[in-house]
Amino acid sequence: MVIYLLIKNICTQTVITINPDETLDKASEKMFLYGISRLVVVKDDTPIGIITEKDITRYLTNITKPINQIKVSEVMRHPLITVSPNDTIQSAARKMLEHNISSLIIVEDSKLKGIITKFDIAKFCSTIKGKWLVKDYMTKHVISVSSFDTVFKVIDLMINNNISRVVVTDANNKPIGIITLADIVRSLPEISFTKLKSMRIPKILRPLILKSIMVSTIMSRDLIVIRENADLAEAAQLMITYGISGLPVVNSEDKLVGIITKTDLTKAVSKLE
């Protein structure tokens, strides 16, 4: 029997917010400080938008305007997609998939009551054991790169394919690392503006320098993988335990055969009846 859990029972009620007049560097710092990937934009105690790591990443390719000169209001997405505290987690999962988003703002009487994210969906999914296998919901077409590829190539791949992570593989198609939006957001502002400025590199040459930065410079090497025949609940628990949003999936030969993400978990939960 399926338990229809209400959003208000699992959501995050303490929401980290930011003013629309703050700049992107402050938004990035705040995300890093709190270990989160999104901020709700609030003006006069009213939620008016949301800004995510992905939104910031899109602006990192434009190094002619430093992120400390770009206001949050220029980048934030609005209007907000909202839910009620009394909606079910299954309906929230469907709404996330429908709008291709990773979080929903919880509003009651026009007041901000919390936020529900795919992390919350993963927590719910981790309690449903023995129902699905990883291979049933994993994404089989995996976008991967070499450690010798450039970070700007990764950014292009993320933006063009609407993804938040890229697996790094060796010559034998075995995963050796992963690079995420968080890695880019936390690393590139310093590389793009502080370092290049200190090196006295003219602005016109900076894009050429940035395009030479290798994936190996900022990728995460402590890789956590999962077998394709593992329980989906196990994948969900690993994501929760290690605070990650995706796991490379390997076969018995440790070769990359897919990737399982919180979006895939959300698809599973959305189909519960």
Side-chain angles (χ1 to χ4, degrees):
M1 184 178 70
V2 176
I3 299 174
Y4 283 85
L5 198 63
L6 298 183
I7 288 174
K8 65 183 179 183
N9 298 130
I10 65 166
C11 71
T12 301
Q13 295 181 347
T14 302
V15 184
I16 309 301
T17 64
I18 195 167
N19 187 283
D21 292 326
E22 292 278 11
T23 53
L24 289 195
D25 61 319
K26 298 300 181 185
S28 179
E29 289 172 5
K30 205 165 193 178
M31 289 181 194
F32 179 76
L33 178 64
Y34 288 96
I36 55 179
S37 58
R38 63 189 56 81
L39 298 167
V40 177
V41 185
V42 172
K43 185 175 183 180
D44 298 328
D45 295 325
T46 301
I48 61 171
I50 191 166
I51 184 166
T52 68
E53 288 177 336
K54 189 174 292 185
D55 300 322
I56 295 175
T57 301
R58 290 191 180 101
Y59 277 77
L60 289 178
T61 55
N62 179 17
I63 63 168
T64 59
K65 186 177 181 181
I67 61 174
N68 61 3
Q69 294 179 14
I70 303 171
K71 288 186 177 182
V72 166
S73 58
E74 298 177 51
V75 182
M76 71 180 189
R77 285 179 286 124
H78 60 92
L80 286 169
I81 309 297
T82 63
V83 289
S84 162
N86 292 313
D87 289 339
T88 66
I89 191 169
Q90 288 94 326
S91 66
R94 295 182 190 114
K95 204 164 193 175
M96 287 181 190
L97 295 171
E98 177 187 353
H99 294 280
N100 194 27
I101 54 178
S102 297
S103 60
L104 295 165
I105 306 305
I106 303 165
V107 175
E108 190 173 44
D109 298 326
S110 300
K111 296 295 183 182
L112 179 64
K113 293 296 182 180
I115 187 170
I116 182 169
T117 70
K118 286 180 180 175
F119 182 79
D120 300 310
I121 301 288
K123 287 192 289 186
F124 179 61
C125 189
S126 71
T127 66
I128 306 174
K129 297 178 175 140
K131 187 173 182 63
W132 307 294
L133 296 179
V134 167
K135 65 181 180 182
D136 295 330
Y137 280 92
M138 71 180 188
T139 300
K140 295 179 181 178
H141 174 62
V142 187
I143 296 173
S144 62
V145 294
S146 158
S147 61
F148 300 105
D149 282 323
T150 66
V151 173
F152 263 57
K153 177 181 178 179
V154 174
I155 292 175
D156 286 338
L157 286 171
M158 287 180 173
I159 292 173
N160 293 331
N161 294 280
N162 194 32
I163 55 178
S164 301
R165 66 200 54 79
V166 174
V167 180
V168 185
T169 56
D170 64 14
N172 296 314
N173 198 36
K174 292 185 177 181
I176 58 171
I178 195 165
I179 184 166
T180 68
L181 276 175
D183 297 324
I184 294 172
V185 169
R186 292 167 189 169
S187 302
L188 274 189
E190 179 182 354
I191 296 172
S192 302
F193 307 116
T194 307
K195 186 174 180 180
L196 295 186
K197 185 176 180 181
S198 68
M199 292 168 64
R200 301 182 182 278
I201 297 174
K203 283 185 178 181
I204 194 170
L205 295 179
R206 291 180 190 179
L208 299 178
I209 300 298
L210 283 174
K211 287 180 180 179
S212 69
I213 299 173
M214 297 293 183
V215 165
S216 58
T217 306
I218 65 173
M219 75 179 193
S220 300
R221 299 176 187 273
D222 296 328
L223 193 62
I224 301 166
V225 300
I226 194 165
R227 299 286 184 186
E228 58 185 333
N229 289 318
D231 193 313
L232 193 65
E234 180 186 345
Q237 188 58 58
L238 282 172
M239 292 183 201
I240 295 164
T241 301
Y242 292 97
I244 54 180
S245 297
L247 296 165
V249 183
V250 296
N251 60 19
S252 58
E253 298 176 347
D254 290 328
K255 291 190 176 182
L256 184 68
V257 293
I259 188 167
I260 189 81
T261 69
K262 287 178 183 172
T263 298
D264 300 315
L265 303 183
T266 302
K267 289 177 183 176
V269 171
S270 74
K271 295 178 180 179
L272 285 173
E273 295 291 349

